[in-house]
Amino acid sequence: MPERGQTTEHQIPKAAEPKGPAALRRTGALVTLVLGGLTAVPPLSMDMYLPALPEVTDALHAPAATVQLTLTACLMGMALGQLVVGPMSDKWGRRRPLLIGLLVYILATAICAFAPTAELLIGFRLLQGLAGAAGIVIARAIVRDLYDGVEMARFFSTLMLISGVAPVVAPLIGGQVLRFTDWRGIFVVLTGVGIALTLLVWRRLPETLAPEKRHSGGTVEALRTMRSLLADRVFTGYMIAGGFAFAALFAYISASPFVIQEIYGASPQTFSLLFGVNSVGLIAVGQINGKVLVGRVSLNKALAFGLTTITVAATALLLMTAGVFGEVGLFPVAAGLFVLMSAMGLAMPNTQSLALTRTPHAAGSASALLGTTSFLIGAIASPLVGIAGEDTAVPMAVVQLVCALAAIACFVGLCRPWQHGPTEEADH
């Protein structure tokens, strides 16, 4: 048995050595699957719950805006938790903080299943988000441990394929669970998912950060590291642009149950189907990005096209929901949402890859800043989509358009991609 701080060959995979094809082969498909599962925790926690939002408002006798705060609380928890867990993983390695976070996630999710009031549900959704942050930030940091440059961008697209199954399947599962039980049963299922993932991590996910690469400092050093990352104008530009793109996505996630079910009269099953189709679009474009575009088209060009497409789709949604084209049905609005969601397959993996290529020395802290920014901006956008009540989709479209324009402004004003050399991305 090794002493604390020592490592053995079976504890630290050789992927922690210099990166290359052999190191990638040694990580194995199972590690890829585990990382996909960890990044699937957020969409599982939120999307399985979406078809039940109207039911929760009735069961807990709370207004829609209050129930939407259960989503906001989960997002804020995931944002704040990453600021803590990211630096912890740079100091103590990836496994220990990850397992602690998963155990707390299981406990919080189980309590959500028995919450008697909306206020208590909001509180434990916050705790659920704080704990679930461990899976998000550490999975991204592990990718940075194992990959670099173009190959990292490819892996993020592969990860999107795996984790993207969650938003496709989660609302469908949630809709089917509601056939047999009420909304509380959804949290029971999520508790089971947390237990299964914890066992898989415990048994199969090795440590990827060698002791000599860990930071020995405490909170002061973590804050100093984050300050130096934020001082990097280009890193900050990609971080904020990705955050606003995510906020446009989360405006859809937060508002779509009410828009599709309450305004357009669709059933929970129809909503789940449409949500799944949109998620398939996101996955497909993400795979086109990773398998076709990466290595042939610069990441900055792919990102620019993705952000432009999101802006065009958000503009079309605003015109339709504001009645400029008269009274439109569900199909045109669903088509606009499909285009917007699909373009996220270009925006999200490329902002993460371009930002993380600049931070090989502090992958955990950089990952924490990326995730925290995305979730905080998303948490602010979430309640805004319901500000005008449940009878109009205009606020959703306005929030999406404003976020898309802000993302483009950050990309152009801070990243200034035209200043990068043609091979700079690969060199990083």
Side-chain angles (χ1 to χ4, degrees):
M1 179 70 80
E3 297 178 1
R4 177 171 295 187
Q6 292 182 335
T7 62
T8 65
E9 186 171 342
H10 72 277
Q11 288 174 318
I12 305 294
K14 296 189 180 186
E17 297 172 1
K19 305 169 182 68
L24 302 186
R25 286 195 297 270
R26 285 195 290 269
T27 62
L30 185 58
V31 173
T32 304
L33 181 63
V34 173
L35 295 181
L38 291 173
T39 56
V41 168
L44 281 175
S45 299
M46 292 185 287
D47 297 349
M48 278 184 64
Y49 178 62
L50 291 179
L53 282 179
E55 180 183 324
V56 176
T57 62
D58 296 332
L60 298 182
H61 308 291
T66 300
V67 173
Q68 283 177 327
L69 286 176
T70 63
L71 295 175
T72 302
C74 189
L75 266 184
M76 290 188 68
M78 289 178 181
L80 299 175
Q82 290 182 69
L83 285 177
V84 177
V85 177
M88 284 173 57
S89 73
D90 282 339
K91 180 179 179 181
W92 294 329
R94 312 305 186 197
R95 268 178 61 88
R96 197 192 316 176
L98 176 57
L99 287 169
I100 292 172
L102 286 171
L103 290 173
V104 177
Y105 174 86
I106 293 170
L107 178 63
T109 305
I111 295 175
C112 284
F114 301 98
T117 65
E119 291 74 19
L120 196 61
L121 181 60
I122 290 170
F124 279 99
R125 286 283 277 175
L126 176 65
L127 180 60
Q128 184 190 41
L130 286 167
I136 310 168
V137 68
I138 292 178
R140 218 167 20 228
I142 289 173
V143 173
R144 188 63 187 90
D145 292 339
L146 303 177
Y147 296 88
D148 207 348
V150 168
E151 290 188 343
M152 181 170 58
R154 286 199 178 107
F155 191 87
F156 271 127
S157 293
T158 301
L159 209 59
M160 181 171 290
L161 172 62
I162 299 170
S163 63
V165 172
V168 174
V169 175
L172 298 174
I173 296 175
Q176 295 306 312
V177 169
L178 292 176
R179 287 179 174 269
F180 302 99
T181 182
D182 60 8
W183 61 273
R184 299 181 188 276
I186 293 175
F187 286 106
V188 174
V189 173
L190 285 172
T191 302
V193 170
I195 292 172
L197 188 56
T198 302
L199 292 174
L200 192 59
V201 168
W202 175 262
R203 295 288 300 275
R204 298 294 184 179
L205 184 66
E207 181 60 68
T208 60
L209 186 65
E212 63 270 16
K213 295 184 178 180
R214 299 176 190 176
H215 296 178
S216 58
T219 304
V220 174
E221 181 178 341
L223 293 175
R224 187 181 299 118
T225 299
M226 288 187 177
R227 184 176 64 183
S228 68
L229 291 172
L230 293 174
D232 182 342
R233 171 180 52 78
V234 179
F235 171 84
T236 301
Y238 289 126
M239 178 186 72
I240 300 177
F244 276 112
F246 180 83
L249 169 65
F250 198 74
Y252 158 75
I253 292 174
S254 181
S256 60
F258 297 97
V259 170
I260 293 175
Q261 294 181 75
E262 301 295 330
I263 297 177
Y264 292 99
S267 68
Q269 288 71 38
T270 300
F271 162 72
S272 300
L273 179 62
L274 290 175
F275 196 93
V277 169
N278 290 341
S279 299
V280 168
L282 187 152
I283 295 169
V285 173
Q287 290 312 290
I288 292 172
N289 179 70
K291 305 297 184 184
V292 179
L293 298 181
V294 171
R296 295 180 175 87
V297 178
S298 77
L299 301 185
N300 278 309
K301 288 181 179 178
L303 174 57
F305 183 77
L307 293 177
T308 301
T309 303
I310 292 170
T311 304
V312 171
T315 301
L317 284 167
L318 178 58
L319 295 175
M320 286 188 287
T321 56
V324 173
F325 303 124
E327 193 170 322
V328 299
L330 176 59
F331 180 78
V333 173
L337 291 172
F338 174 80
V339 173
L340 185 144
M341 280 280 283
S342 297
M344 294 293 172
L346 292 175
M348 292 194 296
N350 289 325
T351 51
Q352 292 178 9
S353 297
L354 287 163
L356 287 173
T357 52
R358 305 182 67 85
T359 61
H361 56 289
S365 296
S367 177
L369 286 173
L370 288 172
T372 297
T373 301
S374 294
F375 283 97
L376 279 180
I377 297 176
I380 293 171
S382 173
L384 297 178
V385 300
I387 198 168
E390 303 174 31
D391 300 324
T392 176
V394 170
M396 176 191 74
V398 169
V399 171
Q400 289 171 332
L401 181 57
V402 170
C403 288
L405 292 173
I408 290 178
C410 291
F411 176 57
V412 173
L414 295 177
C415 302
R416 302 173 190 172
W418 60 87
Q419 294 180 348
H420 304 333
T423 62
E424 183 177 342
E425 295 164 3
D427 293 341
H428 277 101

